[in-house]
Amino acid sequence: MKKDKQGCDTQTCMVCRLCMKEWLPAVEAGSQHFTYRKGQELFKEGDAVEGIFFIYKGSVKVHKHWDGEKELIIRFAKKGDIVGHRGIGTEAVYPVTATALEQVTVCYFDITFWEASLKVNHQLLYELMLFYARELQESERKMRNLAHMPVKGRIAQALLSLEKKFGRNENGFIDFALSRQDLASYIGATYETTFRMLQEMIQEHLIVMSGKEIAVADETKLLRLCELPANK
Amino acid sequence: MKKDKQGCDTQTCMVCRLCMKEWLPAVEAGSQHFTYRKGQELFKEGDAVEGIFFIYKGSVKVHKHWDGEKELIIRFAKKGDIVGHRGIGTEAVYPVTATALEQVTVCYFDITFWEASLKVNHQLLYELMLFYARELQESERKMRNLAHMPVKGRIAQALLSLEKKFGRNENGFIDFALSRQDLASYIGATYETTFRMLQEMIQEHLIVMSGKEIAVADETKLLRLCELPANK
DNA sequence: TCAGGTGTATGATCTATATCATAAATTTAA
DNA sequence: TTAAATTTATGATATAGATCATACACCTGA
């Protein structure tokens, strides 16, 4: 992690967008900027919560672990997204790890400053509450999928939501490069199973792959997979 | 559902506990009381969100469905708990169903009144935000468990957290009667598998069962199951 | 007091997915 | 520019847990 002295554009992250204009100088004073190399951790499951991060550039994965090696990716965060908010509340430690997937720049707020902001800025607090509510819905939907939807359906679901979040690049591929292993961890399956399912989905013309890149080829059929078990 | 004219004690639920005293008359005016028989739904996945519920008496299950029959119980709520807050935020429909597990009395707030309260009452909003944050942590922990923890571990986890939430009755059993089917839906497994695992756990003296009632017999070993795969 | 639903109990399969093993290809670091 | 490490690729095998089938116990209301 490298400390970065240059300030932010006070436009990208939620704090800047939502707080009253009068609060902006305080935000600038209370924030720090850091950069991380690919693979570096912004914080780790179990670390004491010291602050909250806003992604300013690049993308990170937020993940949990069990029994050493087994990983589950909770979420991918990109420019403008909050990371580290899961640490707020009951416990004083992060329940997740955040790892840079590429070169990442963040805007960081000390937890004390952050909580003070929430006390002062009602609008910010309200937006944050809504954000948590949406995250909760999303999390519970994923939980149900994990429990009942077969792997192929979960992949379909994941690809559709990744496309929605990251958009497409000029060639129509999802504008987000993730490894097969990360996709597997994201849907809660092993690399091998995920790989085989992707192959099947190519055969069935549901998706197109070119190297690391993936494109949705038949949205309707993918959506159907999200609603019904694979067979019929 | 039956409308109930008697007021609440303005003590049980979060709104009453947290709002300023000056706001209490408004709360009383804005709330309604309903009762439900066992099995009745307070609201259903897909229903338009019209209000928020606080359990005043009895317990409910909050559950999601997939492909018709397959159920996943997200959470059990008891006296004092909020239900229906998942509807707030992005979409105008409840993402879950809430069903009474026994005779239930609720304190109900119209969504308009609720949102007005949040705008006015900063402390309430702050507590609600913290509540969402805790729920999110819990949900993501359960999600990881669903992805990586074997059924037996998930049962261990579930029993420990149910014991924590509902306490023990005079005989040492978890003070909450739930059917095996509901336990199965709660941990995201089938009834049969859950049943067999419970039998094994009795053999291993991890738990004790008497009819519907379940008691934790060896907390240490149960905790171990939550940390490591079943074998070693 | 009977009947039909709901929950409990248990055995016999089946199968989706994990695990193990191995190798080529690609990326990263040195 | 080579070596090490990671990622991709694919087959063989194992297994946890689902599915199917059947029966009995026990509420609950008619």
Side-chain angles (χ1 to χ4, degrees):
Chain A
M1 181 211 24
K2 214 186 80 200
K3 190 159 173 175
D4 211 328
K5 58 238 141 279
Q6 136 225 354
C8 73
D9 58 5
T10 65
Q11 294 238 42
T12 303
C13 75
M14 191 195 248
V15 204
C16 295
R17 284 201 318 267
L18 293 177
C19 69
M20 299 162 295
K21 276 189 296 299
E22 299 78 51
W23 191 245
L24 273 179
V27 168
E28 279 211 85
S31 70
Q32 291 176 277
H33 290 76
F34 299 123
T35 51
Y36 300 84
R37 288 199 320 280
K38 177 174 177 174
Q40 275 193 308
E41 292 172 345
L42 316 213
F43 54 85
K44 204 170 168 169
E45 208 171 338
D47 281 358
V49 174
E50 289 177 345
I52 191 161
F53 303 73
F54 290 83
I55 309 295
Y56 189 58
K57 185 159 162 296
S59 57
V60 309
K61 64 173 175 180
V62 176
H63 46 129
K64 281 178 93 79
H65 295 264
W66 194 67
D67 184 35
E69 64 275 52
K70 286 183 204 298
E71 176 193 45
L72 181 73
I73 296 179
I74 300 289
R75 159 175 179 255
F76 296 104
K78 64 167 189 176
K79 180 172 178 169
D81 288 340
I82 312 186
V83 176
H85 58 289
R86 281 164 181 76
I88 300 188
T90 33
E91 325 217 356
V93 297
Y94 292 108
V96 293
T97 304
T99 306
L101 290 173
E102 54 191 319
Q103 169 107 338
V104 161
T105 310
V106 304
C107 183
Y108 172 87
F109 295 94
D110 186 86
I111 189 76
T112 317
F113 176 82
W114 177 247
E115 283 176 350
S117 300
L118 292 179
K119 297 258 149 120
V120 171
N121 193 327
H122 192 80
Q123 182 60 20
L124 177 65
L125 180 59
Y126 195 80
E127 289 297 324
L128 185 68
M129 184 274 290
L130 289 183
F131 171 71
Y132 274 116
R134 285 193 299 269
E135 287 253 299
L136 183 60
Q137 277 202 219
E138 175 66 12
S139 169
E140 291 176 343
R141 198 174 51 80
K142 274 194 76 177
M143 191 158 105
R144 182 211 49 191
N145 293 353
L146 218 35
H148 293 309
M149 197 184 276
V151 168
K152 201 187 267 188
R154 303 210 300 270
I155 295 180
Q157 173 76 71
L159 293 177
L160 289 170
S161 75
L162 287 174
E163 191 189 43
K164 193 173 171 200
K165 168 153 192 165
F166 292 94
R168 305 182 194 182
N169 64 19
E170 58 283 6
N171 300 312
F173 292 98
I174 297 172
D175 197 12
F176 178 58
L178 85 170
S179 73
R180 302 294 146 82
Q181 179 56 66
D182 277 350
L183 179 58
S185 296
Y186 186 54
I187 64 162
T190 57
Y191 166 77
E192 293 92 325
T193 302
T194 306
F195 176 78
R196 284 179 243 265
M197 289 299 164
L198 284 172
Q199 296 302 324
E200 279 187 37
M201 291 167 87
I202 291 171
Q203 297 309 310
E204 299 163 42
H205 303 291
L206 304 178
I207 60 172
V208 172
M209 280 175 24
S210 161
K212 255 191 164 53
E213 307 205 287
I214 305 181
V216 169
D218 191 330
E219 188 172 341
T220 315
K221 282 198 189 140
L222 286 181
L223 278 169
R224 183 128 27 99
L225 274 182
C226 299
E227 278 151 27
L228 296 162
N231 38 30
K232 221 203 165 191
Chain B
M1 181 211 22
K2 215 185 78 198
K3 189 158 176 176
D4 211 328
K5 57 234 140 278
Q6 138 224 352
C8 74
D9 59 5
T10 64
Q11 295 238 40
T12 304
C13 75
M14 188 195 248
V15 204
C16 295
R17 286 201 317 268
L18 294 178
C19 70
M20 298 163 294
K21 276 189 296 298
E22 300 77 52
W23 191 245
L24 272 180
V27 168
E28 279 211 85
S31 70
Q32 290 178 276
H33 290 76
F34 299 122
T35 49
Y36 300 85
R37 288 197 321 279
K38 177 175 175 172
Q40 275 193 307
E41 291 171 346
L42 318 211
F43 55 84
K44 203 168 168 171
E45 207 170 338
D47 280 358
V49 174
E50 288 176 345
I52 191 161
F53 303 72
F54 290 84
I55 309 295
Y56 189 58
K57 186 160 161 295
S59 57
V60 309
K61 64 173 176 180
V62 176
H63 46 132
K64 279 177 95 78
H65 296 265
W66 193 68
D67 184 36
E69 62 275 52
K70 289 183 204 295
E71 177 193 43
L72 181 72
I73 296 179
I74 299 290
R75 158 176 180 255
F76 296 104
K78 65 166 188 177
K79 181 174 177 167
D81 287 341
I82 312 186
V83 177
H85 58 289
R86 282 164 182 74
I88 299 188
T90 34
E91 325 220 356
V93 297
Y94 292 108
V96 293
T97 303
T99 305
L101 290 174
E102 54 192 318
Q103 169 108 339
V104 161
T105 310
V106 304
C107 183
Y108 172 88
F109 295 94
D110 186 86
I111 189 77
T112 317
F113 176 83
W114 177 247
E115 284 177 349
S117 301
L118 292 179
K119 298 259 149 115
V120 171
N121 194 326
H122 192 81
Q123 181 62 20
L124 177 64
L125 179 59
Y126 195 80
E127 289 297 324
L128 186 68
M129 184 274 289
L130 289 183
F131 171 70
Y132 275 116
R134 286 192 299 269
E135 287 254 299
L136 183 61
Q137 277 200 218
E138 176 66 11
S139 168
E140 291 176 342
R141 198 174 52 79
K142 276 194 74 179
M143 192 158 105
R144 181 210 52 190
N145 293 353
L146 218 34
H148 293 309
M149 196 184 277
V151 167
K152 202 187 265 188
R154 303 211 298 270
I155 295 181
Q157 173 76 69
L159 293 177
L160 289 171
S161 75
L162 287 174
E163 192 190 42
K164 192 171 172 202
K165 168 152 193 166
F166 293 94
R168 304 182 194 184
N169 64 20
E170 57 284 4
N171 300 312
F173 292 97
I174 296 172
D175 198 12
F176 178 58
L178 84 170
S179 72
R180 303 294 145 81
Q181 178 57 64
D182 277 350
L183 178 58
S185 296
Y186 185 53
I187 64 161
T190 57
Y191 166 78
E192 293 93 322
T193 302
T194 306
F195 175 80
R196 285 179 242 265
M197 291 298 165
L198 285 173
Q199 295 301 325
E200 279 188 36
M201 292 167 87
I202 291 172
Q203 297 310 309
E204 300 163 44
H205 304 288
L206 303 178
I207 60 171
V208 173
M209 280 176 23
S210 162
K212 255 190 163 54
E213 307 204 289
I214 306 182
V216 169
D218 191 332
E219 189 172 340
T220 316
K221 282 198 190 139
L222 286 181
L223 277 170
R224 182 127 29 97
L225 274 182
C226 299
E227 279 151 26
L228 295 163
N231 38 33
K232 220 203 163 189

